[in-house]
Amino acid sequence: MTLNLGVLASGRGSNLGAILRAEAQGELPARVAVVIGDRPGAGALDVARRQGVPAFCIEPGRDGRVAYEARIVSCLERHGVDLVCLAGFMRVVGPALLGRYPGRILNIHPSLLPAFPGRGAQRQAWEHGVKVTGCTVHFVDEGVDTGPIILQRAVAVGEEDDPEALAARILQEEHAAYPEAIRLLAEGRLTIAGRRVIVAAPGSGGEGGARCGGLY
Ligand code: GRF
């Protein structure tokens, strides 16, 4: 079964690009069915359109978060989306989206959570003086960067690093981590058990990530 992905983004879209590359190389039992940006200038919309992927700008209005998310959900549903991937989407997801896609929303964050949640994680880590940081792919819950962790990749912080150089190396790891997490879910190898995500061995998964649906 091929999973239909809906990618939500606010920024340049390099993680979207990495997911599309993995898809093109046949590394994912998944395809990006639609990309939604929350502002017209989101580079991710151009990344999508260049690849012929349907892309829509859905901006928040005065109607509040529930109505805003209802508009997003209706676009995702129109494109048959099974799994929502937040890729630099600068908004906290609320009950309307979470309720429609339980256990089916992922996020990528540029730190080793639970350290340095929220914005500017790479700079936060550098300012704190940690020797190791990295990136995390996790299920989304109602908190900010708090959901169960699927996988993490570490990046050493060098003496010569500045926040920009560090962020660039973390981004390289993000581009490997996000497609890998999507593949694990699409192969049905992820089970959420409380705060823990159990990753099954290859070949032992169910169909299309069925284990995650409804568990969350
Ligand atoms: C990434 O660093 C991601 O971890 C964070 O936002 C950034 C998005 O970058 N959530 P891009 O738009 O995918 O290039």
Side-chain angles (χ1 to χ4, degrees), residues 9-18 43-44 86-90 107-111 118 121-122 134-136 145 167 170-171 174-175 178:
S10 305
R12 75 198 140 181
S14 73
N15 277 287
L16 167 65
L86 310 185
F89 188 61
M90 304 303 278
N107 182 43
I108 186 152
H109 182 75
S111 76
Q122 306 96 325
C135 64
T136 302
D145 303 323
I170 294 172
L171 195 62
E174 293 185 40
H175 294 167
Y178 217 167

Side-chain angles (χ1 to χ4, degrees), residues 63-81:
D63 44 1
R65 186 166 71 169
V66 171
Y68 178 56
E69 291 193 348
R71 286 189 277 135
I72 292 178
V73 164
S74 104
C75 182
L76 295 171
E77 285 179 341
R78 267 203 317 279
H79 291 85
V81 166

Side-chain angles (χ1 to χ4, degrees), residues 7-216:
V7 177
L8 271 50
S10 305
R12 75 198 140 181
S14 73
N15 277 287
L16 167 65
I19 295 166
L20 287 168
R21 275 196 300 283
E23 176 191 331
Q25 287 162 8
E27 293 165 7
L28 285 184
R31 58 181 274 272
V32 179
V34 66
V35 172
I36 297 173
D38 64 349
R39 56 186 193 87
L45 293 171
D46 299 323
V47 172
R49 287 177 185 135
R50 277 200 298 274
Q51 303 293 320
V53 175
F56 301 91
C57 179
I58 303 182
E59 290 182 87
R62 295 198 181 149
D63 44 1
R65 186 166 71 169
V66 171
Y68 178 56
E69 291 193 348
R71 286 189 277 135
I72 292 178
V73 164
S74 104
C75 182
L76 295 171
E77 285 179 341
R78 267 203 317 279
H79 291 85
V81 166
D82 308 296
L83 176 67
V84 179
C85 298
L86 310 185
F89 188 61
M90 304 303 278
R91 295 179 182 282
V92 178
V93 169
L97 203 45
L98 282 168
R100 172 60 185 82
Y101 290 96
R104 290 285 173 149
I105 308 179
L106 307 185
N107 182 43
I108 186 152
H109 182 75
S111 76
L112 295 177
L113 292 170
F116 312 121
R119 291 184 186 222
Q122 306 96 325
R123 177 173 286 276
Q124 288 184 54
W126 181 80
E127 284 176 353
H128 197 87
V130 296
K131 302 298 186 192
V132 179
T133 182
C135 64
T136 302
V137 185
H138 63 93
F139 286 102
V140 172
D141 64 10
E142 56 290 333
V144 176
D145 303 323
T146 49
I149 291 170
I150 299 168
L151 62 85
Q152 299 184 296
R153 291 173 75 102
V155 172
V157 184
E159 305 289 329
E160 308 301 321
D161 265 327
D162 57 28
E164 289 72 31
L166 184 57
R169 289 208 313 291
I170 294 172
L171 195 62
Q172 290 306 312
E173 298 304 319
E174 293 185 40
H175 294 167
Y178 217 167
E180 169 68 5
I182 293 167
R183 191 171 61 77
L184 291 172
L185 189 141
E187 290 175 353
R189 291 166 57 193
L190 302 181
T191 306
I192 301 170
R195 279 226 45 92
R196 216 166 291 279
V197 177
I198 315 290
V199 183
S204 57
E207 274 269 301
R211 288 171 188 212
C212 284
L215 280 183
Y216 192 57

